[in-house]
Amino acid sequence: MKLLVTGGAGYVGSVCATVLLERGHDVVIIDDLSTGNADGVPEGAQFLEGDVATLATEVLGTDSAAPRFDGVLHFAAQSLVGESVEAPDKYWQGNVVTTLTLLEAIRRSGTPRLVFSSTAATYGEPDHSPITEADPTRPTNPYGATKLAIDHAISSYAVAYDLAAMSLRYFNVAGAYKGAGENRVVETHLIPLVLQVALGQREKISIFGTDWPTSDGTAIRDYIHVLDLAEAHLLALEAAQPGRHEIYNLGSGAGFSVREVISACERVTGLPIAAENAPRRAGDPAILVASSDRAIAELGWQPKHTDLDAIVADAWAFLQDLGDRSHAARR
Ligand code: UDP
């Protein structure tokens, strides 16, 4: 298929683009490099740098009788819970307004398929665990609210304009694949931050909340390997049906507390990791664990890299390699 990938220089987008290229798809990436890296763009993809909505509108064109692309995978987004509480404008404009423009471009160009990066944050504080797609959506932060608003918009576009649409609700994506991993200018995610402590780049990790209603008092998340996530995108693309918008949760199905993640990082690196207790972070729910039963049953998806130590080991290898590369570049 000929595919337009927005955000393909970012972490998840670049791994998915790599896998799409490996399977013989033709990939055009649009990214404004606000959080992604040009280095992340996989070889073999055509890369256009600039505003996602503007470029997508140009690239998709307006001839619905002869669509130029078979589908769009829309990864480009603002995606930090804490930041979204402090700067919601960036999220409503950057996520919702951009995606509404993209949806119009998809409609006008007659592009048949859309796979959208949604999130577990659409559910908010769940009543029970694991979370299924039928559970109530009550986001506890603007990030989740913007992604949920987009999911609603996609649903109505799918029905009215015969779009074949899929929203994939990611839980906590981690790990690395073929030189693509978490490499953000401003890092806020747990696993890379803990590994930065191991690398000596950071003095200690702050544990945000030690009074959550969990076994060790720290928040529980479901860590999914980025390669498993990429596989789900390929399956979703194939399974999408005109006029339907399907939503799938994607996680490994097991929850790990912040302290358990720190222990896994200590095991993998063989290094002690200094940690301090800190207040809860605004917008964070206590526990987010996915039921991915629907994706397993309907898409034929099967997460393969579910061992937390193996996920951390891939992230660790990526960060060490990145350090070696930047050291070599400085010399
Ligand atoms: N977390 C933490 N210290 C940090 C970063 C994150 O304790 O420096 C916690 C965070 O509060 C959450 C979990 O680790 O409970 C995962 O956070 P992350 O930002 O990686 O992903 P999110 O769940 O927000 O998508």
Side-chain angles (χ1 to χ4, degrees), residues 81 172 188-191 193 205-208 219 221 223 258 281 284:
V81 167
N172 287 63
T188 66
H189 290 89
L190 182 63
I191 292 177
L193 285 179
I205 185 78
S206 299
I207 300 176
F208 295 149
R221 295 289 182 274
Y223 295 87
V258 173
R281 184 172 66 180
D284 268 351

Coordinates of all heavy atoms in Angstrom, one line a residue, residues 81 172 188-191 193 205-208 219 221 223 258 281 284, ligand 1:
V81 N 1.1 13.9 29.5 CA 0.0 14.1 30.4 C 0.3 15.4 31.2 O -0.6 16.2 31.3 CB -0.1 12.8 31.4 CG1 -1.0 13.2 32.5 CG2 -0.6 11.7 30.6
N172 N 1.4 1.8 27.9 CA 2.7 2.5 28.0 C 3.7 1.8 27.0 O 4.2 0.8 27.3 CB 3.2 2.4 29.4 CG 2.4 3.4 30.3 OD1 1.2 3.2 30.4 ND2 3.0 4.4 30.8
T188 N 10.1 12.6 29.7 CA 9.3 12.6 30.9 C 8.9 11.2 31.2 O 8.2 10.9 32.2 CB 8.0 13.4 30.7 OG1 7.2 12.8 29.7 CG2 8.3 14.9 30.3
H189 N 9.2 10.2 30.3 CA 8.7 8.8 30.5 C 9.6 8.0 31.4 O 10.8 8.2 31.4 CB 8.5 8.1 29.1 CG 7.4 8.7 28.3 ND1 7.6 9.8 27.5 CD2 6.1 8.5 28.3 CE1 6.5 10.1 26.9 NE2 5.5 9.3 27.4
L190 N 8.9 7.1 32.1 CA 9.6 6.5 33.3 C 10.8 5.6 32.8 O 11.9 5.8 33.4 CB 8.5 5.6 34.0 CG 9.1 4.8 35.2 CD1 9.5 5.8 36.3 CD2 8.1 3.8 35.7
I191 N 10.6 4.7 31.9 CA 11.8 3.8 31.6 C 13.0 4.6 31.1 O 14.1 4.4 31.7 CB 11.3 2.7 30.7 CG1 10.4 1.7 31.4 CG2 12.5 1.9 30.2 CD1 9.8 0.6 30.7
L193 N 13.9 7.6 31.7 CA 14.4 8.4 32.8 C 15.2 7.6 33.8 O 16.2 7.9 34.2 CB 13.3 9.2 33.5 CG 12.7 10.4 32.8 CD1 11.5 11.0 33.6 CD2 13.7 11.4 32.5
I205 N 15.8 9.2 40.2 CA 14.5 9.2 39.6 C 13.5 9.6 40.7 O 13.6 9.1 41.9 CB 14.1 7.8 39.0 CG1 12.7 7.9 38.3 CG2 14.2 6.7 40.0 CD1 12.7 8.5 37.0
S206 N 12.5 10.4 40.4 CA 11.5 10.8 41.4 C 10.3 9.9 41.2 O 9.9 9.7 40.0 CB 11.0 12.2 41.1 OG 12.1 13.1 41.3
I207 N 9.8 9.3 42.2 CA 8.7 8.4 42.1 C 7.4 9.3 42.4 O 7.3 9.8 43.6 CB 8.8 7.2 43.2 CG1 10.0 6.4 42.9 CG2 7.5 6.4 43.1 CD1 10.3 5.3 43.9
F208 N 6.6 9.4 41.4 CA 5.5 10.4 41.5 C 4.3 9.7 42.2 O 3.5 9.1 41.6 CB 5.0 10.8 40.2 CG 6.0 11.7 39.4 CD1 6.1 11.7 38.0 CD2 6.9 12.5 40.1 CE1 7.0 12.4 37.3 CE2 7.9 13.3 39.4 CZ 7.9 13.2 38.0
A219 N 2.3 3.9 41.2 CA 1.3 3.7 40.2 C 1.7 2.5 39.3 O 2.8 2.2 39.0 CB 1.2 5.0 39.3
R221 N 1.3 0.6 35.6 CA 1.1 0.8 34.1 C 1.4 -0.6 33.4 O 2.1 -1.4 33.9 CB 2.0 1.8 33.6 CG 1.8 3.2 34.1 CD 0.5 3.8 33.6 NE 0.2 5.2 34.1 CZ -0.4 5.5 35.2 NH1 -0.8 4.5 36.0 NH2 -0.6 6.8 35.5
Y223 N 3.2 -2.0 30.2 CA 4.2 -1.6 29.3 C 4.2 -2.6 28.1 O 4.3 -3.8 28.2 CB 5.6 -1.7 30.0 CG 5.6 -0.6 31.1 CD1 5.2 -0.8 32.4 CD2 6.0 0.7 30.8 CE1 5.2 0.2 33.3 CE2 6.0 1.7 31.7 CZ 5.6 1.4 33.0 OH 5.6 2.4 33.9
V258 N 5.7 1.5 39.5 CA 6.9 2.3 39.3 C 8.1 1.6 40.0 O 9.2 1.5 39.4 CB 6.7 3.7 39.8 CG1 8.0 4.5 39.7 CG2 5.6 4.4 39.0
R281 N 1.9 13.2 40.3 CA 1.9 14.1 39.1 C 0.5 14.4 38.7 O -0.4 13.5 38.7 CB 2.7 13.4 38.0 CG 2.9 14.2 36.8 CD 3.8 13.6 35.8 NE 3.2 12.3 35.2 CZ 3.8 11.6 34.3 NH1 5.0 11.9 33.9 NH2 3.2 10.5 33.8
D284 N -2.4 12.0 36.6 CA -2.1 10.6 36.5 C -3.2 9.8 37.2 O -3.5 10.0 38.4 CB -0.8 10.3 37.3 CG 0.4 10.4 36.4 OD1 0.3 10.5 35.2 OD2 1.6 10.3 37.0
Ligands
UDP1 N1 6.7 8.3 36.7 C1 7.4 8.5 37.8 N2 8.5 9.3 37.7 C2 8.9 9.9 36.6 C3 8.2 9.6 35.4 C4 7.0 8.9 35.5 O1 7.1 8.1 38.9 O2 10.0 10.6 36.6 C5 5.4 7.5 36.8 C6 4.2 8.2 36.3 O3 3.6 9.0 37.3 C7 3.3 7.1 35.9 C8 4.3 6.0 35.4 O4 5.6 6.4 35.9 O5 2.6 6.5 37.0 C9 4.5 6.0 33.9 O6 4.6 7.4 33.4 P1 5.0 7.7 32.0 O7 5.2 9.2 31.9 O8 6.2 6.9 31.5 O9 3.8 7.3 31.1 P2 2.2 7.7 31.2 O10 1.6 6.7 32.0 O11 2.1 9.1 31.7 O12 1.8 7.6 29.8

